[in-house]
Amino acid sequence: MNFYFKFFLLWQSASTLASRQGCKLPLIRIKRPSGIAQEDQSPDGSTTIQVLDRNDYTYIVNVSVGAQSFPLTLDTGSSDLWVISNECKSADCSNVARYSQSFSTNLSITQTPFRTDYISGSVSGLVAAETVSLGPYQLISQVFGLANRTEGISFSDEGNSGILGLAFPSEMSMPGMAVLQSIFTALPDPYFTITLGSKLNVNSSSSFTLGQIDDLYANDLSDFFTIPVSKAGANDYTYWKISLFYITINSTRISLSPSSVQGVQHSQIAVLDTGTTLALGPTRDVETFWLSLGSAARNDPITGMWQVRCEKAIMVGFALGHEDSYREFVLDPADVSWEQGASNNGWCLGGIQANDEVDSGDWLLGDVFLRNVYSLYHAANSSSGPWIGLLSITNNESALAAFRQSRGPDLDSSTPPAVQIQSTAVSPEVRYKLLYGTSTLCGFIGGVVLTSLFRARHGLWYALRKQKQK
Ligand SMILES: *[C@@H]1O[C@H](CO)[C@@H](O)[C@H](O)[C@H]1NC(C)=O
Ligand SMILES: *[C@@H]1O[C@H](CO)[C@@H](O)[C@H](O)[C@H]1NC(C)=O
Ligand SMILES: *[C@@H]1O[C@H](CO)[C@@H](O)[C@H](O)[C@H]1NC(C)=O
Ligand SMILES: *[C@@H]1O[C@H](CO)[C@@H](O)[C@H](O)[C@H]1NC(C)=O
Ligand SMILES: *[C@@H]1O[C@H](CO)[C@@H](O)[C@H](O)[C@H]1NC(C)=O
Ligand SMILES: *[C@@H]1O[C@H](CO)[C@@H](O)[C@H](O)[C@H]1NC(C)=O
Ligand SMILES: *[C@@H]1O[C@H](CO)[C@@H](O)[C@H](O)[C@H]1NC(C)=O
């Protein structure tokens, strides 16, 4: 029997959900620098996150594979499910829960290799299938990657054992049915929702629901502002991509440069990605954004990362939607003036950073954006494509008041008003070539940026410490 045939059999016994009710899964958040997860589960099954600081950078959900439970990164920016196997001996794999075949129940392991490349590392191993449980659901014969080798991923620092990717099947790096398909195929109401808890909003908590709405945030599908998912730059749905029209700073519009995604006009493309810590956009636009704040922002020449005065309250809005109807979603100022460096010198890491490595869209809107919305990810049906529902959960006035209370008064009254920036004529074709021509990596954007950001951040702290020592 050849591998493909074996795999075909595996695929045929395709994933089905054993349970058909809506469900809500607890979601825990990991914080830097301690890396210790906090959770506080309320009696009704919802999860409230106790937040001790603002250093949260990734969100974790428990997933059982066979009889073992693993903390996995909840990642709307990739499509694979994979866990580290106990065959993995690299340093990256130490100190995390690893899949052991001796605890397997319904495992079928193929000889089909899988491999996913990151900017700074990779993960590889064999394609397998096993009963996967998400809260009360069982995905029978769910295909997943059993990673026997990782490089440069440093999960041992993060304490999670892999990734639960919830982007579209076309971006899978292994054959078979994606988790998204398994879930959507079987749910009577095929969608999932996510909220990410944050510190400054005492009212917020994290949750991840399948086929039902978290009634802490909404009652009905009609409460959401709906946005069609875009195929931009591809023939099929790939990521949870939507159109971004402009950004605002304190209600003043900053127009954006033309999209680098082929065929896209009148907007840029943003990917909603829970697996990315910050919001990442084209260098040009991010530069424009920070420069409009005058001396309150600076670009660290060593790390290339933008920093901003910690007490600077900046109300940033992202206008998302479709051409006829878009809406501005505002960020908590603490997600923009994000995290204080180790040197405690009054400069914070900006929540918005430049990155041109993203090849699926112009922006990755990661956790700093997603903490401010209740988001819904809906399957396609016979008459409509997939869509995203967004509901703002950040009130600009109360977020500003909370920010002032924690950061103190803004002593710099000389900040120039945000300026209107004209787009310059870099043709989309040229940008497209620059971006895609040099990029050999595709897929797995969440992981890519997650990893590169960790490194960059360590670099930033290191640089700040070194400066102080001089
Ligand atoms: C995840 O699983 C671990 C180990 O079983 C458990 O201690 C923890 O409470 C779980 N967390 C959530 C959010 O379910
Ligand atoms: C193994 O699969 C069967 C159904 O195919 C399921 O009932 C059982 O719960 C699975 N075992 C585990 C530990 O997931
Ligand atoms: C690890 O995975 C590779 C494919 O990526 C495979 O060739 C190798 O046999 C696997 N090793 C073990 C010990 O399973
Ligand atoms: C939390 O909720 C209460 C009651 O709805 C509201 O008054 C308060 O402003 C909220 N706090 C924040 C930080 O949004
Ligand atoms: C934005 O508005 C707030 C509140 O009015 C103000 O404190 C802050 O300085 C403004 N920020 C900028 C960048 O203009
Ligand atoms: C398909 O989805 C759209 C949008 O959610 C909905 O309005 C429509 O009724 C659905 N059609 C069918 C046939 O289910
Ligand atoms: C908050 O939003 C309202 C409505 O969009 C606007 O009128 C007000 O100026 C905003 N306040 C701040 C502090 O940004």
Side-chain angles (χ1 to χ4, degrees):
M1 187 159 45
N2 71 34
F3 303 146
Y4 292 102
F5 185 58
K6 251 192 197 167
F7 191 78
F8 180 69
L9 291 182
L10 204 117
W11 183 80
Q12 270 210 318
S13 62
S15 322
T16 45
L17 287 170
S19 160
R20 286 182 165 263
Q21 302 298 306
C23 92
K24 187 162 160 183
L25 302 178
L27 184 59
I28 62 174
R29 186 164 46 128
I30 289 194
K31 299 180 281 99
R32 281 286 197 192
S34 67
I36 296 164
Q38 291 264 327
E39 62 167 324
D40 169 10
Q41 205 167 336
S42 68
D44 69 353
S46 67
T47 303
T48 314
I49 305 302
Q50 293 275 295
V51 183
L52 303 175
D53 62 30
R54 195 68 188 180
N55 291 349
D56 27 271
Y57 72 107
T58 192
Y59 293 81
I60 301 285
V61 66
N62 269 355
V63 176
S64 294
V65 181
Q68 288 170 278
S69 172
F70 298 98
L72 303 182
T73 297
L74 179 69
D75 188 12
T76 58
S78 67
S79 304
D80 294 306
L81 165 65
W82 61 265
V83 297
I84 290 173
S85 118
N86 64 355
E87 308 276 351
C88 181
K89 305 286 188 241
S90 59
D92 268 354
C93 296
S94 56
N95 301 323
V96 295
R98 289 176 292 177
Y99 185 88
S100 161
Q101 290 194 30
S102 49
F103 290 102
S104 73
T105 50
N106 298 317
L107 180 72
S108 48
I109 188 160
T110 71
Q111 290 306 310
T112 309
F114 85 96
R115 180 189 167 95
T116 307
D117 289 311
Y118 303 80
I119 286 172
S120 61
S122 67
V123 52
S124 60
L126 295 171
V127 175
E130 169 63 286
T131 306
V132 169
S133 307
L134 278 173
Y137 291 105
Q138 280 195 330
L139 315 179
I140 310 298
S141 288
Q142 175 62 52
V143 168
F144 74 105
L146 207 41
N148 66 25
R149 192 179 157 83
T150 69
E151 247 174 273
I153 304 201
S154 63
F155 271 3
S156 54
D157 294 350
E158 331 306 345
N160 55 329
S161 301
I163 288 193
L164 174 67
L166 293 172
F168 291 86
S170 64
E171 296 307 303
M172 269 182 100
S173 56
M174 54 190 90
M177 199 140 152
V179 172
L180 186 75
Q181 275 169 300
S182 306
I183 293 172
F184 280 175
T185 305
L187 284 172
D189 222 349
Y191 66 87
F192 64 91
T193 77
I194 293 174
T195 50
L196 304 179
S198 77
K199 174 195 179 188
L200 286 192
N201 188 346
V202 292
N203 300 330
S204 79
S205 61
S206 297
S207 79
F208 171 41
T209 70
L210 300 179
Q212 77 173 35
I213 284 173
D214 186 336
D215 58 16
L216 283 176
Y217 294 98
N219 300 313
D220 205 80
L221 291 192
S222 64
D223 291 345
F224 291 83
F225 180 65
T226 66
I227 306 173
V229 175
S230 166
K231 284 186 190 170
N235 295 323
D236 201 355
Y237 296 105
T238 55
Y239 299 102
W240 294 97
K241 295 192 254 197
I242 52 181
S243 295
L244 168 67
F245 291 92
Y246 56 86
I247 294 178
T248 59
I249 297 182
N250 274 7
S251 303
T252 303
R253 276 191 199 194
I254 303 239
S255 32
L256 301 169
S257 55
S259 176
S260 63
V261 179
Q262 201 171 35
V264 175
Q265 287 173 333
H266 314 302
S267 79
Q268 289 192 346
I269 297 295
V271 177
L272 299 190
D273 183 5
T274 55
T276 291
T277 309
L278 304 179
L280 304 172
T283 300
R284 214 189 100 71
D285 298 306
V286 171
E287 214 167 78
T288 301
F289 171 86
W290 289 114
L291 289 176
S292 75
L293 296 170
S295 62
R298 69 179 189 190
N299 187 247
D300 184 274
I302 301 164
T303 62
M305 298 195 76
W306 288 93
Q307 298 166 29
V308 55
R309 298 298 305 168
C310 294
E311 74 284 358
K312 197 73 196 160
I314 306 156
M315 300 302 310
V316 173
F318 283 87
L320 298 161
H322 37 101
E323 237 163 283
D324 309 326
S325 156
Y326 40 85
R327 197 173 285 184
E328 203 180 308
F329 293 87
V330 72
L331 270 59
D332 188 319
D335 283 317
V336 179
S337 182
W338 189 60
E339 186 174 270
Q340 174 104 260
S343 63
N344 203 23
N345 62 357
W347 287 94
C348 278
L349 185 64
I352 297 173
Q353 298 289 343
N355 189 309
D356 294 323
E357 310 277 353
V358 180
D359 66 0
S360 54
D362 301 288
W363 287 79
L364 287 189
L365 296 182
D367 302 338
V368 295
F369 172 79
L370 291 166
R371 270 194 285 275
N372 297 285
V373 292
Y374 182 34
S375 55
L376 183 148
Y377 306 78
H378 202 289
N381 66 18
S382 54
S383 60
S384 146
W387 53 274
I388 280 176
L390 294 180
L391 184 60
S392 173
I393 55 172
T394 294
N395 173 283
N396 64 353
E397 305 285 350
S398 43
L400 182 62
F403 182 87
R404 277 276 159 265
Q405 199 167 22
S406 74
R407 302 285 178 94
D410 186 353
L411 302 173
D412 167 27
S413 55
S414 66
T415 303
V419 291
Q420 177 86 39
I421 282 98
Q422 299 300 320
S423 336
T424 56
V426 179
S427 81
E429 290 74 22
V430 170
R431 285 181 61 83
Y432 181 83
K433 269 193 200 135
L434 284 173
L435 257 152
Y436 287 74
T438 56
S439 172
T440 53
L441 299 166
C442 62
F444 226 90
I445 48 177
V448 167
V449 177
L450 198 81
T451 307
S452 58
L453 266 180
F454 292 158
R455 302 211 147 176
R457 286 180 56 190
H458 291 312
L460 175 66
W461 307 147
Y462 182 61
L464 289 172
R465 268 201 306 278
K466 258 175 63 177
Q467 271 174 0
K468 213 181 166 191
Q469 279 163 11
K470 273 187 193 164

